[in-house]
Amino acid sequence: MIGIATLKESAAPLLGPRRFDMDMPLLVAALCLLGLGLVMVSSASMEVAAGQLGNPLFYMIRQLIYVLIGFAALVFVISVPIRLWEQFRFPLLFIGIALLVAVLIPGIGREVNGSWRWIAVGPINIQPSELAKLFAVVFLAGYLVHRQEEVKEGWFGFIKPFMVLFPMALLLIAEPDFGATVVLMGAAVGMLFLGGVGLFRFILLFGSIAILGGLLIVIEPYRLQRLTGFLNPWEDPFGTGYQLTQALIAFGRGEWLGIGLGNSIQKQFYLPEAHTDFVFAVLAEELGLVGALSAFGLLVFLAVRSLYIGLWAERAGRLFAAYLAYGLAIMWIGQILINVGVNVGLLPTKGLTLPFLSYGGSSLVVCCISLGILLRIDWERRQALREVADE
């Protein structure tokens, strides 16, 4: 009987007396992005799928399957109490590190275009970096709660989490996945700052990470080429600047209202990775500046709303939930800024998916899991307020 009662309590956001008792603005925005992403991935991938695989709907079908898996994961995670994430933060961190190690082992990891980022499980590929980033945020949220005074007052408490995060960053760089490394470390720095780290230590840490990032760019020729190509892509439009120039052409062709859904020219073997890293450029070409700004507005709303969920949880005294929400929001913000920045030519070319929009099973499912966690955080906060009001 206790087990049934606990199960009903956990599933209350979906099955309780207040059906679908969750943050509807956040959920609706995410569902709109999921639907738009499915449409744009289908449009951006048809020519490539038809030419390379003989089936123009290949990527659309796979993306639809990923959406269904992600939705199932969302429903499940909404029913998981936040205290369980805090309780199992160390096992989850171990799993994340183990996956990052496993992907580098020949026979387990899969190499694509010189990068070891995927583990093949039957017909699908799992990208361990997506899960590792999520589990690292869960771990760091717990650390900020249980070592709060150490983080605020002492240098060792401030440095200690990086003794775990730096090895994870090195494993990501070894794949290599520089974009995921930047997002992970950016989320960690943001969470520490919101957790009460002093300004001096924050500036020192931020400067150290910036210097380390600069060294990582300089020591690898291809990264330096990407940086110089980004500064003036038209100098070598068929070499280092090819992806960016093709993306900019897509934006130019779209003008204000776009050339129509499905009518993109750049997706026809001109723009590489049109359905993954550069889906935003195809969206801008087909739906125009208005469509691109609308999609970007939804992404910004999603990130800001997530930050507010963290703020509301912090004001309610639910610190683990607050830091977890902050970390997830900062990760989304990092991915949005990097992906859109790359598409419009403000940042060097870097392979990083756009949350809820780009093609990719691991990214999409982890985004849905993160959304489920945020919805659960907000529901638990409001439920606690109701209980206090009833008393």
Side-chain angles (χ1 to χ4, degrees):
M1 295 297 291
I2 296 177
I4 295 175
T6 303
L7 182 62
K8 287 183 177 180
E9 180 185 357
S10 298
L14 296 172
L15 303 177
R18 300 170 180 263
R19 294 292 176 88
F20 301 107
D21 182 19
M22 58 193 73
D23 190 322
M24 293 308 293
L26 181 70
L27 179 61
V28 170
L31 292 178
C32 288
L33 287 170
L34 277 173
L36 179 61
L38 180 61
V39 171
M40 293 314 306
V41 166
S42 303
S43 175
S45 64
M46 281 188 174
E47 278 72 15
V48 174
Q52 296 179 350
L53 303 169
N55 179 7
L57 301 180
F58 177 83
Y59 291 110
M60 186 204 76
I61 294 171
R62 289 176 71 92
Q63 184 75 351
L64 179 59
I65 293 172
Y66 296 147
V67 168
L68 294 176
I69 294 173
F71 190 75
L74 168 65
V75 172
F76 173 77
V77 171
I78 289 176
S79 302
V80 177
I82 297 300
R83 68 176 184 274
L84 292 182
W85 290 98
E86 184 176 7
Q87 180 180 345
F88 290 99
R89 64 189 185 278
F90 289 110
L92 290 174
L93 178 67
F94 176 79
I95 292 171
I97 295 174
L99 287 172
L100 291 179
V101 172
V103 76
L104 298 174
I105 300 175
I108 298 179
R110 182 187 176 196
E111 186 267 338
V112 178
N113 296 328
S115 299
W116 294 81
R117 299 182 186 176
W118 296 271
I119 295 176
V121 180
I124 65 174
N125 294 319
I126 296 176
Q127 192 170 0
S129 62
E130 296 293 337
L131 288 170
K133 289 186 296 183
L134 172 63
F135 296 159
V137 167
V138 173
F139 160 76
L140 191 54
Y143 179 82
L144 289 172
V145 173
H146 295 277
R147 297 289 186 270
Q148 193 171 31
E149 293 303 318
E150 290 183 40
V151 171
K152 291 182 178 179
E153 305 297 335
W155 277 95
F156 186 64
F158 168 63
I159 295 172
K160 199 186 298 183
F162 289 98
M163 298 171 66
V164 175
L165 295 177
F166 273 132
M168 294 182 70
L170 292 175
L171 289 169
L172 287 169
I173 291 170
E175 294 184 7
D177 194 344
F178 190 63
T181 308
V182 171
V183 170
L184 172 62
M185 300 309 294
V189 171
M191 291 175 70
L192 284 168
F193 181 71
L194 293 173
V197 171
L199 185 60
F200 173 73
R201 285 180 290 165
F202 177 77
I203 293 174
L204 184 63
L205 172 65
F206 190 79
S208 301
I209 291 177
I211 292 171
L212 179 60
L215 290 174
L216 290 173
I217 291 173
V218 172
I219 62 177
E220 287 290 348
Y222 81 91
R223 291 182 187 137
L224 189 58
Q225 287 177 355
R226 283 186 175 182
L227 180 60
T228 56
F230 135 77
L231 294 174
N232 186 10
W234 301 102
E235 184 178 359
D236 186 14
F238 298 104
T240 56
Y242 181 75
Q243 286 180 305
L244 180 52
T245 55
Q246 297 301 316
L248 293 176
I249 290 171
F251 278 93
R253 285 179 52 81
E255 298 185 350
W256 287 98
L257 299 177
I259 60 176
L261 186 63
N263 294 329
S264 169
I265 300 298
Q266 294 307 106
K267 69 184 180 183
Q268 298 179 14
F269 299 94
Y270 291 102
L271 181 60
E273 309 297 337
H275 58 296
T276 55
D277 302 339
F278 287 92
V279 69
F280 191 72
V282 176
L283 185 152
E285 183 181 5
E286 296 189 348
L287 303 182
L289 180 63
V290 173
L293 288 179
S294 299
F296 186 71
L298 279 174
L299 290 166
V300 171
F301 174 81
L302 197 74
V304 173
R305 187 75 177 184
S306 301
L307 287 173
Y308 269 104
I309 287 175
L311 177 62
W312 295 330
E314 185 177 4
R315 288 177 176 174
R318 309 176 74 84
L319 292 183
F320 174 78
Y323 294 138
L324 182 54
Y326 288 146
L328 296 176
I330 294 170
M331 278 205 306
W332 280 351
I333 291 170
Q335 289 188 225
I336 292 166
L337 292 179
I338 291 174
N339 184 280
V340 175
V342 166
N343 274 254
V344 300
L346 294 177
L347 293 173
T349 302
K350 187 80 222 91
L352 201 64
T353 57
L354 190 58
F356 296 100
L357 284 175
S358 295
Y359 173 80
S362 298
S363 174
L364 188 63
V365 172
V366 170
C367 281
C368 290
I369 292 173
S370 301
L371 176 63
I373 293 173
L374 289 164
L375 292 171
R376 180 75 193 194
I377 288 172
D378 184 67
W379 178 82
E380 288 190 2
R381 177 190 65 84
R382 289 185 289 104
Q383 185 68 14
L385 291 176
R386 293 192 192 105
E387 292 174 357
V388 171
D390 291 341
E391 293 176 358

